Amino acid sequence: MRRTEAGDVPRTGRAAGDPPEPDTTSDVPGDSAFLALERELSVFLRRARASSGEVAREVHPDLEPAAYGLLVRLAEAGEQRATALAAYFGVGKATMSRQLRALEELGIVTRRPDPADGRASLVTLTEEGAGRFAAVRRARRERYARKLRSWDRAEIAELARLLHRLNGLSGAED
């Protein structure tokens, strides 16, 4: 750490718990930045996994935690083929088929033949599924608003933009 002429460590203006500033003295550019990213993503993902079960149960007591994301996609993009959903989430057809079958059995989604290809089906939220999802989504957004109440709207928008950009890399080659 750099010291001033008086030997004091300069203040960084960071709050307790803030990630460290990038190490510009490292032989590997951005090394400490990537370590901080790894640490923060690990915490974020662990918390997200823990809360995903709670959120899913709010939609339906028997809903799998991973299914909430499917509901988000169907609510935002509308009716879709199972293969399109599998490609969007980067999972296999068998995994998607199993998840959709469970959602169908719970009455949250329905399938109908695709008029463009009779061998395929289109998946959409049922009226009940859409209603349950909308209620949970409203409550979830209210929780986000409470947790991030000290954040500026521009910071929230920037976080969303960066997460979108990061999610876009998930299928990209290294």
Side-chain angles (χ1 to χ4, degrees):
M1 188 170 268
R2 244 182 341 105
R3 294 193 178 268
T4 63
E5 290 180 19
D8 298 325
V9 175
R11 296 202 178 266
T12 63
R14 294 179 327 139
D18 280 356
E21 293 180 16
D23 180 3
T24 57
T25 62
S26 174
D27 289 356
V28 179
D31 188 54
S32 66
F34 286 109
L35 290 172
L37 175 64
E38 177 186 35
R39 180 183 57 254
E40 296 305 324
L41 279 176
S42 295
V43 172
F44 177 78
L45 293 171
R46 179 175 285 268
R47 288 178 179 169
R49 277 191 294 274
S51 74
S52 67
E54 295 170 23
V55 171
R57 284 188 297 279
E58 290 176 30
V59 174
H60 191 285
D62 298 325
L63 189 66
E64 290 182 36
Y68 186 81
L70 281 171
L71 304 183
V72 171
R73 180 67 178 167
L74 288 170
E76 291 181 351
E79 189 173 61
Q80 295 192 24
R81 285 184 176 186
T83 53
L85 290 166
Y88 180 80
F89 288 105
V91 299
K93 292 177 189 176
T95 299
M96 184 56 58
S97 180
R98 182 184 56 75
Q99 289 179 345
L100 290 173
R101 190 171 33 260
L103 288 170
E104 198 171 15
E105 288 170 3
L106 296 174
I108 294 171
V109 302
T110 188
R111 298 184 213 210
R112 71 175 183 88
D114 184 345
D117 181 353
R119 299 168 296 169
S121 61
L122 295 171
V123 181
T124 189
L125 291 170
T126 62
E127 191 174 317
E128 179 185 352
R132 287 174 176 250
F133 171 73
V136 170
R137 190 175 218 189
R138 249 188 324 277
R140 197 171 199 198
R141 285 182 180 169
E142 289 169 5
R143 282 192 294 263
Y144 289 154
R146 280 192 306 274
K147 284 187 175 214
L148 300 175
R149 69 180 165 266
S150 66
W151 288 35
D152 180 287
R153 283 275 198 197
E155 290 174 312
I156 296 168
E158 178 68 0
L159 176 61
R161 185 188 72 76
L162 291 170
L163 287 171
H164 178 77
R165 187 173 171 194
L166 181 63
N167 285 332
L169 298 175
S170 65
E173 296 294 320
D174 289 20

